[in-house]
Amino acid sequence: MDWDAWTQQAWQARERAYAPYSKFSVGAVVVGGGRVFAGANIENLSYGLTLCAERVALGSAVVAGERRIEAVVVVADTDEPISPCGACRQVLAEFGDPLIRLVNRSGHLEFRLSELLPRAKAGILSPPPSPGSAPA
Ligand code: THU
């Protein structure tokens, strides 16, 4: 667990956020298989199409072949640590139960995803046989 390096990468990614509407920039990294994938929020004139930093980073990880996510860092320049939205929690849960570090300007908090979103996969649909397997 190299939280300091990952946090630095998340702050760097935050510089690339496209947030002209909210003016609230967020950076994230997703770590899987020892590889680190960065993301930042990407907003849109049609507000609901905004992509959160977490999902941007996760998309890169999955397309690179990583389906087992072990850690996530989310950074924002706020007094209180921010917290991933419900949609991001659910999307992350598809690929594991990572530790999530929420970093702000003065400190951090850490949670297991399943603390932030209990029973994410309990319900109607059966999960795929090997959700964590590499692409065919
Ligand atoms: N946002 C993220 O990217 N991640 C979070 O965890 C919280 C919120 C973004 C979405 C939107 O572009 C802006 O922050 C304000 O909500």
Side-chain angles (χ1 to χ4, degrees), residues 19 22 24 26 40-43 50-54 74 82-85:
S22 72
F24 187 77
V26 181
N41 53 332
I42 304 173
E43 297 187 342
T50 290
L51 302 172
C52 294
E54 296 89 324
V74 187
I82 62 164
S83 181
C85 77

Side-chain angles (χ1 to χ4, degrees), residues 17-108:
Y18 177 72
Y21 303 106
S22 72
K23 308 207 183 319
F24 187 77
S25 297
V26 181
V29 303
V30 158
V31 183
R35 294 200 283 170
V36 183
F37 301 90
N41 53 332
I42 304 173
E43 297 187 342
N44 192 268
L45 181 61
S46 178
Y47 301 148
L49 300 182
T50 290
L51 302 172
C52 294
E54 296 89 324
R55 273 180 283 167
V56 171
L58 180 68
S60 290
V62 172
V63 171
E66 297 301 340
R67 294 187 180 180
R68 291 181 199 279
I69 302 309
E70 292 133 23
V72 176
V73 180
V74 187
V75 304
D77 188 22
T78 50
D79 292 328
E80 289 290 313
I82 62 164
S83 181
C85 77
C88 285
R89 294 177 197 198
Q90 187 70 45
V91 172
L92 286 166
E94 186 75 18
F95 300 102
D97 186 12
L99 270 175
I100 304 183
R101 182 174 281 208
L102 307 171
V103 180
N104 67 337
R105 59 170 80 106
S106 59
H108 67 262

